[in-house]
């Protein structure tokens, strides 16, 4: 009579599937929020280049690359776990799944820490003692976090951005009106010239 304990019991596979869903939902929320931050980091990099602050521009782009890489790698890891959990022989891969979920939780906490808000991002371009300390902290944190390929991609992005900024500045200068090459007449010279023209106009009828 009634349900047996085996019927009510939630399997380890069911719990893992639920945990994975929670992690993927969190990751999607972080992806939407962190896009606002990475967009601002791109703008800051451009502003720093315009101000001749290349090291700050590079730091902003390195941090952006780290955040994007962190999200992409976590997404790939969760996809792999999803494939493992759909395996009919779940018991054989259960340890791998549990370890993967633990890793996913740790990385999600790391991503959450990266979402410190726009006010922290703004410190990347500020020039006071607190901001400089924060910039050093970010630079130290990024040391060894990016692969050689990712560092190369950041350098390429910085070079392309530099060309874009230089090109836009040249374009703005092209729009400025040309400075007249002839010497600009002073008010006194303009008055003298006007009187000379008037005198000539009065003299012409008399000559006729």
């Amino acid at each position: 009579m009634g349900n047996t304990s085996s019927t009510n019991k939630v399997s380890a596979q069911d719990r893992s599937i639920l945990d994975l869903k929670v992690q993927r939902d969190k990751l999607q929320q972080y992806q939407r929020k962190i896009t606002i931050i990475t967009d601002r980091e791109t703008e800051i990099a451009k502003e720093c280049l315009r101000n001749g602050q290349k090291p700050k521009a590079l730091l902003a782009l390195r941090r952006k690359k780290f955040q994007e890489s962190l999200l992409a790698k976590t997404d790939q890891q969760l996809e792999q776990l999803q494939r493992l959990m759909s395996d009919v022989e779940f018991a054989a891969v259960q340890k791998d799944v549990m370890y993967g979920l633990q890793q996913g939780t740790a990385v999600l906490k790391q991503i959450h820490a990266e979402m410190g808000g726009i006010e922290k991002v703004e410190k990347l371009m500020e020039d006071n003692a607190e901001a400089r300390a924060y910039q050093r902290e970010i630079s130290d944190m990024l040391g060894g976090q990016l692969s050689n390929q990712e560092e190369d991609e950041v350098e390429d992005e910085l070079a392309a951005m530099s060309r874009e900024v230089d090109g836009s500045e040249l374009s703005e200068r092209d729009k400025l009106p040309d400075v007249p090459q002839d010497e600009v007449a002073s008010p006194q010279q303009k008055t003298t010239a006007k009187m000379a023209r008037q005198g000539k106009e009065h003299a012409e009828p008399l000559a006729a």
Side-chain angles (χ1 to χ4, degrees):
M1 293 179 64
N3 293 330
T4 63
S5 59
S6 60
T7 305
N8 290 328
K9 186 178 180 181
V10 178
S11 69
Q13 187 171 9
D14 290 336
R15 284 196 301 273
S16 298
I17 290 173
L18 178 60
D19 289 344
L20 177 64
K21 183 181 184 306
V22 170
Q23 287 193 11
R24 298 213 71 167
D25 288 346
K26 280 187 179 180
L27 182 64
Q28 289 173 357
Q29 291 173 10
Y30 290 161
Q31 284 171 329
R32 288 192 293 270
K33 290 180 180 179
I34 214 164
T35 297
I36 299 173
I37 293 175
T38 54
D39 286 348
R40 180 57 186 147
E41 285 166 341
T42 301
E43 293 172 5
I44 285 175
K46 289 182 179 179
E47 290 177 35
C48 289
L49 284 175
R50 292 190 191 99
N51 296 331
Q53 298 172 317
K54 189 174 180 179
K56 287 185 179 182
L58 181 60
L59 179 61
L61 292 181
R62 290 182 73 227
R63 185 170 188 237
K64 179 171 78 84
K65 172 61 74 173
F66 170 68
Q67 291 163 337
E68 292 172 343
S69 175
L70 200 58
L71 288 171
K73 289 174 182 175
T74 305
D75 191 35
Q76 292 171 2
Q77 181 184 3
L78 294 181
E79 283 183 5
Q80 182 180 4
L81 287 177
Q82 191 168 25
R83 288 193 296 271
L84 282 174
M85 283 188 289
S86 63
D87 196 320
V88 290
E89 297 295 335
F90 177 77
V93 296
Q94 184 175 352
K95 287 185 178 179
D96 292 335
V97 171
M98 298 307 294
Y99 177 74
L101 287 171
Q102 290 173 0
Q103 291 292 100
T105 299
V107 175
L108 285 172
K109 288 180 179 178
Q110 189 177 7
I111 294 173
H112 180 73
E114 283 297 309
M115 297 170 54
I118 291 295
E119 64 277 1
K120 282 194 174 182
V121 179
E122 298 297 334
K123 288 183 180 180
L124 293 176
M125 66 180 300
E126 293 175 2
D127 193 19
N128 53 54
E130 182 183 354
R132 287 193 293 272
Y134 178 72
Q135 291 160 16
R136 285 194 297 271
E137 178 187 340
I138 294 300
S139 183
D140 292 343
M141 182 274 293
L142 291 174
Q145 294 289 344
L146 297 177
S147 66
N148 290 336
Q149 180 181 346
E150 289 169 337
E151 292 282 12
D152 289 342
E153 289 171 354
V154 170
E155 291 286 352
D156 291 342
E157 184 177 4
L158 181 66
M161 189 177 288
S162 296
R163 290 192 296 270
E164 178 187 341
V165 169
D166 291 342
S168 63
E169 288 179 351
L170 286 173
S171 178
E172 286 298 320
R173 285 199 291 269
D174 290 341
K175 293 177 183 177
L176 294 175
D178 293 334
V179 177
Q181 299 299 318
D182 297 334
E183 184 179 350
V184 178
S186 67
Q188 183 178 358
Q189 290 173 322
K190 290 180 180 179
T191 302
T192 304
K194 183 177 180 182
M195 292 176 64
R197 285 196 302 273
Q198 290 175 344
K200 185 178 179 181
E201 289 171 358
H202 288 303
E204 287 176 352
L206 294 174

PDB file of all heavy atoms in Angstrom, residues 5-24 81 85 90 94 97-98 101-102 105:
ATOM      1  N   SER A   5       9.597   3.455  -0.666  1.00  0.00           N
ATOM      2  CA  SER A   5      10.697   4.403  -0.477  1.00  0.00           C
ATOM      3  C   SER A   5      11.470   4.586  -1.768  1.00  0.00           C
ATOM      4  O   SER A   5      11.993   5.667  -2.045  1.00  0.00           O
ATOM      5  CB  SER A   5      11.623   3.908   0.633  1.00  0.00           C
ATOM      6  OG  SER A   5      12.145   2.630   0.308  1.00  0.00           O
ATOM      7  N   SER A   6      11.561   3.532  -2.605  1.00  0.00           N
ATOM      8  CA  SER A   6      12.291   3.633  -3.861  1.00  0.00           C
ATOM      9  C   SER A   6      11.601   4.586  -4.818  1.00  0.00           C
ATOM     10  O   SER A   6      12.236   5.235  -5.632  1.00  0.00           O
ATOM     11  CB  SER A   6      12.450   2.255  -4.498  1.00  0.00           C
ATOM     12  OG  SER A   6      11.166   1.697  -4.764  1.00  0.00           O
ATOM     13  N   THR A   7      10.261   4.686  -4.705  1.00  0.00           N
ATOM     14  CA  THR A   7       9.520   5.587  -5.590  1.00  0.00           C
ATOM     15  C   THR A   7       9.764   7.031  -5.188  1.00  0.00           C
ATOM     16  O   THR A   7       9.889   7.918  -6.025  1.00  0.00           O
ATOM     17  CB  THR A   7       8.013   5.288  -5.530  1.00  0.00           C
ATOM     18  OG1 THR A   7       7.808   3.912  -5.822  1.00  0.00           O
ATOM     19  CG2 THR A   7       7.253   6.157  -6.519  1.00  0.00           C
ATOM     20  N   ASN A   8       9.815   7.315  -3.865  1.00  0.00           N
ATOM     21  CA  ASN A   8       9.980   8.677  -3.374  1.00  0.00           C
ATOM     22  C   ASN A   8      11.424   9.157  -3.463  1.00  0.00           C
ATOM     23  O   ASN A   8      11.682  10.356  -3.455  1.00  0.00           O
ATOM     24  CB  ASN A   8       9.531   8.769  -1.908  1.00  0.00           C
ATOM     25  CG  ASN A   8       8.021   8.614  -1.793  1.00  0.00           C
ATOM     26  OD1 ASN A   8       7.289   9.002  -2.683  1.00  0.00           O
ATOM     27  ND2 ASN A   8       7.578   8.032  -0.680  1.00  0.00           N
ATOM     28  N   LYS A   9      12.325   8.244  -3.503  1.00  0.00           N
ATOM     29  CA  LYS A   9      13.732   8.606  -3.466  1.00  0.00           C
ATOM     30  C   LYS A   9      14.160   9.296  -4.755  1.00  0.00           C
ATOM     31  O   LYS A   9      13.871   8.843  -5.846  1.00  0.00           O
ATOM     32  CB  LYS A   9      14.581   7.351  -3.244  1.00  0.00           C
ATOM     33  CG  LYS A   9      16.060   7.651  -3.052  1.00  0.00           C
ATOM     34  CD  LYS A   9      16.811   6.355  -2.784  1.00  0.00           C
ATOM     35  CE  LYS A   9      18.294   6.642  -2.597  1.00  0.00           C
ATOM     36  NZ  LYS A   9      19.040   5.400  -2.356  1.00  0.00           N
ATOM     37  N   VAL A  10      14.841  10.448  -4.606  1.00  0.00           N
ATOM     38  CA  VAL A  10      15.384  11.160  -5.760  1.00  0.00           C
ATOM     39  C   VAL A  10      16.760  10.595  -6.051  1.00  0.00           C
ATOM     40  O   VAL A  10      17.607  10.509  -5.168  1.00  0.00           O
ATOM     41  CB  VAL A  10      15.480  12.670  -5.487  1.00  0.00           C
ATOM     42  CG1 VAL A  10      16.101  13.397  -6.678  1.00  0.00           C
ATOM     43  CG2 VAL A  10      14.114  13.237  -5.168  1.00  0.00           C
ATOM     44  N   SER A  11      16.981  10.191  -7.281  1.00  0.00           N
ATOM     45  CA  SER A  11      18.249   9.556  -7.635  1.00  0.00           C
ATOM     46  C   SER A  11      19.369  10.587  -7.674  1.00  0.00           C
ATOM     47  O   SER A  11      19.145  11.797  -7.794  1.00  0.00           O
ATOM     48  CB  SER A  11      18.136   8.870  -8.992  1.00  0.00           C
ATOM     49  OG  SER A  11      18.017   9.840 -10.021  1.00  0.00           O
ATOM     50  N   ALA A  12      20.599  10.094  -7.588  1.00  0.00           N
ATOM     51  CA  ALA A  12      21.769  10.980  -7.685  1.00  0.00           C
ATOM     52  C   ALA A  12      21.805  11.660  -9.034  1.00  0.00           C
ATOM     53  O   ALA A  12      22.214  12.822  -9.148  1.00  0.00           O
ATOM     54  CB  ALA A  12      23.035  10.157  -7.471  1.00  0.00           C
ATOM     55  N   GLN A  13      21.357  10.974 -10.071  1.00  0.00           N
ATOM     56  CA  GLN A  13      21.332  11.556 -11.407  1.00  0.00           C
ATOM     57  C   GLN A  13      20.333  12.729 -11.463  1.00  0.00           C
ATOM     58  O   GLN A  13      20.624  13.766 -12.044  1.00  0.00           O
ATOM     59  CB  GLN A  13      20.965  10.500 -12.443  1.00  0.00           C
ATOM     60  CG  GLN A  13      21.079  11.010 -13.891  1.00  0.00           C
ATOM     61  CD  GLN A  13      20.935   9.891 -14.900  1.00  0.00           C
ATOM     62  OE1 GLN A  13      20.596   8.762 -14.553  1.00  0.00           O
ATOM     63  NE2 GLN A  13      21.201  10.201 -16.154  1.00  0.00           N
ATOM     64  N   ASP A  14      19.162  12.548 -10.820  1.00  0.00           N
ATOM     65  CA  ASP A  14      18.159  13.620 -10.793  1.00  0.00           C
ATOM     66  C   ASP A  14      18.717  14.857 -10.076  1.00  0.00           C
ATOM     67  O   ASP A  14      18.518  15.987 -10.521  1.00  0.00           O
ATOM     68  CB  ASP A  14      16.891  13.139 -10.083  1.00  0.00           C
ATOM     69  CG  ASP A  14      16.137  12.097 -10.903  1.00  0.00           C
ATOM     70  OD1 ASP A  14      16.312  12.080 -12.130  1.00  0.00           O
ATOM     71  OD2 ASP A  14      15.394  11.308 -10.295  1.00  0.00           O
ATOM     72  N   ARG A  15      19.393  14.635  -8.951  1.00  0.00           N
ATOM     73  CA  ARG A  15      19.965  15.755  -8.198  1.00  0.00           C
ATOM     74  C   ARG A  15      21.029  16.480  -9.017  1.00  0.00           C
ATOM     75  O   ARG A  15      21.114  17.705  -9.022  1.00  0.00           O
ATOM     76  CB  ARG A  15      20.565  15.266  -6.877  1.00  0.00           C
ATOM     77  CG  ARG A  15      19.535  14.933  -5.797  1.00  0.00           C
ATOM     78  CD  ARG A  15      20.194  14.843  -4.428  1.00  0.00           C
ATOM     79  NE  ARG A  15      21.238  13.819  -4.389  1.00  0.00           N
ATOM     80  CZ  ARG A  15      21.020  12.538  -4.113  1.00  0.00           C
ATOM     81  NH1 ARG A  15      19.783  12.126  -3.831  1.00  0.00           N
ATOM     82  NH2 ARG A  15      22.025  11.679  -4.078  1.00  0.00           N
ATOM     83  N   SER A  16      21.837  15.700  -9.727  1.00  0.00           N
ATOM     84  CA  SER A  16      22.890  16.298 -10.558  1.00  0.00           C
ATOM     85  C   SER A  16      22.302  17.120 -11.693  1.00  0.00           C
ATOM     86  O   SER A  16      22.800  18.201 -12.022  1.00  0.00           O
ATOM     87  CB  SER A  16      23.797  15.200 -11.130  1.00  0.00           C
ATOM     88  OG  SER A  16      24.446  14.499 -10.096  1.00  0.00           O
ATOM     89  N   ILE A  17      21.231  16.610 -12.289  1.00  0.00           N
ATOM     90  CA  ILE A  17      20.571  17.338 -13.378  1.00  0.00           C
ATOM     91  C   ILE A  17      20.021  18.666 -12.861  1.00  0.00           C
ATOM     92  O   ILE A  17      20.138  19.708 -13.510  1.00  0.00           O
ATOM     93  CB  ILE A  17      19.455  16.481 -14.000  1.00  0.00           C
ATOM     94  CG1 ILE A  17      20.069  15.310 -14.782  1.00  0.00           C
ATOM     95  CG2 ILE A  17      18.559  17.321 -14.906  1.00  0.00           C
ATOM     96  CD1 ILE A  17      19.051  14.303 -15.295  1.00  0.00           C
ATOM     97  N   LEU A  18      19.425  18.628 -11.658  1.00  0.00           N
ATOM     98  CA  LEU A  18      18.888  19.848 -11.058  1.00  0.00           C
ATOM     99  C   LEU A  18      20.015  20.846 -10.751  1.00  0.00           C
ATOM    100  O   LEU A  18      19.896  22.045 -11.044  1.00  0.00           O
ATOM    101  CB  LEU A  18      18.123  19.511  -9.780  1.00  0.00           C
ATOM    102  CG  LEU A  18      17.534  20.715  -9.025  1.00  0.00           C
ATOM    103  CD1 LEU A  18      16.550  21.477  -9.912  1.00  0.00           C
ATOM    104  CD2 LEU A  18      16.858  20.256  -7.743  1.00  0.00           C
ATOM    105  N   ASP A  19      21.105  20.336 -10.170  1.00  0.00           N
ATOM    106  CA  ASP A  19      22.249  21.209  -9.859  1.00  0.00           C
ATOM    107  C   ASP A  19      22.809  21.848 -11.130  1.00  0.00           C
ATOM    108  O   ASP A  19      23.172  23.028 -11.137  1.00  0.00           O
ATOM    109  CB  ASP A  19      23.354  20.424  -9.152  1.00  0.00           C
ATOM    110  CG  ASP A  19      22.967  20.038  -7.731  1.00  0.00           C
ATOM    111  OD1 ASP A  19      22.006  20.628  -7.204  1.00  0.00           O
ATOM    112  OD2 ASP A  19      23.626  19.140  -7.158  1.00  0.00           O
ATOM    113  N   LEU A  20      22.885  21.056 -12.183  1.00  0.00           N
ATOM    114  CA  LEU A  20      23.404  21.573 -13.442  1.00  0.00           C
ATOM    115  C   LEU A  20      22.498  22.670 -13.994  1.00  0.00           C
ATOM    116  O   LEU A  20      22.978  23.702 -14.481  1.00  0.00           O
ATOM    117  CB  LEU A  20      23.533  20.439 -14.463  1.00  0.00           C
ATOM    118  CG  LEU A  20      24.010  20.859 -15.860  1.00  0.00           C
ATOM    119  CD1 LEU A  20      25.423  21.423 -15.805  1.00  0.00           C
ATOM    120  CD2 LEU A  20      23.961  19.687 -16.831  1.00  0.00           C
ATOM    121  N   LYS A  21      21.198  22.466 -13.903  1.00  0.00           N
ATOM    122  CA  LYS A  21      20.250  23.477 -14.389  1.00  0.00           C
ATOM    123  C   LYS A  21      20.413  24.794 -13.620  1.00  0.00           C
ATOM    124  O   LYS A  21      20.407  25.881 -14.209  1.00  0.00           O
ATOM    125  CB  LYS A  21      18.815  22.975 -14.262  1.00  0.00           C
ATOM    126  CG  LYS A  21      17.779  23.951 -14.821  1.00  0.00           C
ATOM    127  CD  LYS A  21      16.369  23.420 -14.662  1.00  0.00           C
ATOM    128  CE  LYS A  21      15.364  24.371 -15.308  1.00  0.00           C
ATOM    129  NZ  LYS A  21      15.457  25.758 -14.831  1.00  0.00           N
ATOM    130  N   VAL A  22      20.591  24.677 -12.308  1.00  0.00           N
ATOM    131  CA  VAL A  22      20.785  25.875 -11.484  1.00  0.00           C
ATOM    132  C   VAL A  22      22.051  26.615 -11.909  1.00  0.00           C
ATOM    133  O   VAL A  22      22.064  27.846 -12.047  1.00  0.00           O
ATOM    134  CB  VAL A  22      20.868  25.489  -9.987  1.00  0.00           C
ATOM    135  CG1 VAL A  22      21.313  26.694  -9.157  1.00  0.00           C
ATOM    136  CG2 VAL A  22      19.511  24.984  -9.495  1.00  0.00           C
ATOM    137  N   GLN A  23      23.123  25.851 -12.151  1.00  0.00           N
ATOM    138  CA  GLN A  23      24.380  26.468 -12.551  1.00  0.00           C
ATOM    139  C   GLN A  23      24.257  27.141 -13.918  1.00  0.00           C
ATOM    140  O   GLN A  23      24.765  28.248 -14.124  1.00  0.00           O
ATOM    141  CB  GLN A  23      25.505  25.425 -12.578  1.00  0.00           C
ATOM    142  CG  GLN A  23      25.954  24.993 -11.193  1.00  0.00           C
ATOM    143  CD  GLN A  23      27.256  24.218 -11.213  1.00  0.00           C
ATOM    144  OE1 GLN A  23      27.950  24.159 -12.227  1.00  0.00           O
ATOM    145  NE2 GLN A  23      27.601  23.603 -10.089  1.00  0.00           N
ATOM    146  N   ARG A  24      23.583  26.494 -14.853  1.00  0.00           N
ATOM    147  CA  ARG A  24      23.441  27.086 -16.190  1.00  0.00           C
ATOM    148  C   ARG A  24      22.569  28.338 -16.143  1.00  0.00           C
ATOM    149  O   ARG A  24      22.827  29.305 -16.853  1.00  0.00           O
ATOM    150  CB  ARG A  24      22.853  26.062 -17.171  1.00  0.00           C
ATOM    151  CG  ARG A  24      23.717  24.846 -17.376  1.00  0.00           C
ATOM    152  CD  ARG A  24      23.628  24.286 -18.760  1.00  0.00           C
ATOM    153  NE  ARG A  24      24.287  25.171 -19.718  1.00  0.00           N
ATOM    154  CZ  ARG A  24      24.578  24.818 -20.961  1.00  0.00           C
ATOM    155  NH1 ARG A  24      24.254  23.620 -21.394  1.00  0.00           N
ATOM    156  NH2 ARG A  24      25.176  25.645 -21.781  1.00  0.00           N
ATOM    157  N   LEU A  81      29.243  18.445 -18.960  1.00  0.00           N
ATOM    158  CA  LEU A  81      28.568  17.751 -17.862  1.00  0.00           C
ATOM    159  C   LEU A  81      27.177  17.293 -18.276  1.00  0.00           C
ATOM    160  O   LEU A  81      26.724  16.203 -17.898  1.00  0.00           O
ATOM    161  CB  LEU A  81      28.477  18.669 -16.643  1.00  0.00           C
ATOM    162  CG  LEU A  81      29.771  18.922 -15.867  1.00  0.00           C
ATOM    163  CD1 LEU A  81      29.527  19.906 -14.747  1.00  0.00           C
ATOM    164  CD2 LEU A  81      30.329  17.612 -15.308  1.00  0.00           C
ATOM    165  N   MET A  85      25.737  13.459 -18.066  1.00  0.00           N
ATOM    166  CA  MET A  85      24.571  13.064 -17.273  1.00  0.00           C
ATOM    167  C   MET A  85      23.482  12.404 -18.116  1.00  0.00           C
ATOM    168  O   MET A  85      22.601  11.751 -17.585  1.00  0.00           O
ATOM    169  CB  MET A  85      24.013  14.283 -16.536  1.00  0.00           C
ATOM    170  CG  MET A  85      24.853  14.624 -15.321  1.00  0.00           C
ATOM    171  SD  MET A  85      24.129  15.895 -14.293  1.00  0.00           S
ATOM    172  CE  MET A  85      24.321  17.325 -15.297  1.00  0.00           C
ATOM    173  N   PHE A  90      25.112   6.241 -16.024  1.00  0.00           N
ATOM    174  CA  PHE A  90      25.431   7.385 -15.175  1.00  0.00           C
ATOM    175  C   PHE A  90      26.313   6.991 -14.010  1.00  0.00           C
ATOM    176  O   PHE A  90      27.206   7.737 -13.614  1.00  0.00           O
ATOM    177  CB  PHE A  90      24.137   8.023 -14.652  1.00  0.00           C
ATOM    178  CG  PHE A  90      24.385   9.173 -13.713  1.00  0.00           C
ATOM    179  CD1 PHE A  90      24.768  10.415 -14.194  1.00  0.00           C
ATOM    180  CD2 PHE A  90      24.245   9.007 -12.335  1.00  0.00           C
ATOM    181  CE1 PHE A  90      25.009  11.472 -13.333  1.00  0.00           C
ATOM    182  CE2 PHE A  90      24.489  10.066 -11.470  1.00  0.00           C
ATOM    183  CZ  PHE A  90      24.867  11.302 -11.969  1.00  0.00           C
ATOM    184  N   GLN A  94      29.519   9.079 -12.466  1.00  0.00           N
ATOM    185  CA  GLN A  94      28.958   9.896 -11.392  1.00  0.00           C
ATOM    186  C   GLN A  94      30.029  10.726 -10.687  1.00  0.00           C
ATOM    187  O   GLN A  94      29.825  11.911 -10.403  1.00  0.00           O
ATOM    188  CB  GLN A  94      28.240   9.014 -10.375  1.00  0.00           C
ATOM    189  CG  GLN A  94      27.554   9.808  -9.267  1.00  0.00           C
ATOM    190  CD  GLN A  94      26.737   8.918  -8.340  1.00  0.00           C
ATOM    191  OE1 GLN A  94      26.566   7.726  -8.607  1.00  0.00           O
ATOM    192  NE2 GLN A  94      26.230   9.485  -7.264  1.00  0.00           N
ATOM    193  N   VAL A  97      30.993  13.669 -12.770  1.00  0.00           N
ATOM    194  CA  VAL A  97      29.930  14.670 -12.780  1.00  0.00           C
ATOM    195  C   VAL A  97      29.947  15.477 -11.489  1.00  0.00           C
ATOM    196  O   VAL A  97      29.862  16.716 -11.510  1.00  0.00           O
ATOM    197  CB  VAL A  97      28.555  13.998 -12.984  1.00  0.00           C
ATOM    198  CG1 VAL A  97      27.423  15.011 -12.762  1.00  0.00           C
ATOM    199  CG2 VAL A  97      28.452  13.409 -14.387  1.00  0.00           C
ATOM    200  N   MET A  98      30.057  14.783 -10.355  1.00  0.00           N
ATOM    201  CA  MET A  98      30.052  15.480  -9.068  1.00  0.00           C
ATOM    202  C   MET A  98      31.245  16.430  -8.960  1.00  0.00           C
ATOM    203  O   MET A  98      31.119  17.564  -8.483  1.00  0.00           O
ATOM    204  CB  MET A  98      30.078  14.468  -7.916  1.00  0.00           C
ATOM    205  CG  MET A  98      28.853  13.537  -7.888  1.00  0.00           C
ATOM    206  SD  MET A  98      27.281  14.416  -7.905  1.00  0.00           S
ATOM    207  CE  MET A  98      27.335  15.253  -6.341  1.00  0.00           C
ATOM    208  N   LEU A 101      30.592  19.449 -11.141  1.00  0.00           N
ATOM    209  CA  LEU A 101      29.637  20.383 -10.535  1.00  0.00           C
ATOM    210  C   LEU A 101      30.299  21.212  -9.436  1.00  0.00           C
ATOM    211  O   LEU A 101      30.009  22.403  -9.284  1.00  0.00           O
ATOM    212  CB  LEU A 101      28.433  19.611  -9.976  1.00  0.00           C
ATOM    213  CG  LEU A 101      27.466  19.048 -11.020  1.00  0.00           C
ATOM    214  CD1 LEU A 101      26.438  18.127 -10.353  1.00  0.00           C
ATOM    215  CD2 LEU A 101      26.756  20.162 -11.774  1.00  0.00           C
ATOM    216  N   GLN A 102      31.180  20.570  -8.676  1.00  0.00           N
ATOM    217  CA  GLN A 102      31.909  21.312  -7.648  1.00  0.00           C
ATOM    218  C   GLN A 102      32.794  22.383  -8.276  1.00  0.00           C
ATOM    219  O   GLN A 102      32.861  23.525  -7.800  1.00  0.00           O
ATOM    220  CB  GLN A 102      32.767  20.350  -6.820  1.00  0.00           C
ATOM    221  CG  GLN A 102      31.960  19.423  -5.921  1.00  0.00           C
ATOM    222  CD  GLN A 102      32.826  18.371  -5.247  1.00  0.00           C
ATOM    223  OE1 GLN A 102      34.028  18.327  -5.453  1.00  0.00           O
ATOM    224  NE2 GLN A 102      32.205  17.511  -4.452  1.00  0.00           N
ATOM    225  N   THR A 105      30.647  25.274  -9.470  1.00  0.00           N
ATOM    226  CA  THR A 105      30.246  26.164  -8.370  1.00  0.00           C
ATOM    227  C   THR A 105      31.371  27.129  -8.020  1.00  0.00           C
ATOM    228  O   THR A 105      31.142  28.324  -7.807  1.00  0.00           O
ATOM    229  CB  THR A 105      29.879  25.334  -7.125  1.00  0.00           C
ATOM    230  OG1 THR A 105      28.772  24.463  -7.441  1.00  0.00           O
ATOM    231  CG2 THR A 105      29.476  26.226  -5.969  1.00  0.00           C
TER     232      THR A 105
END
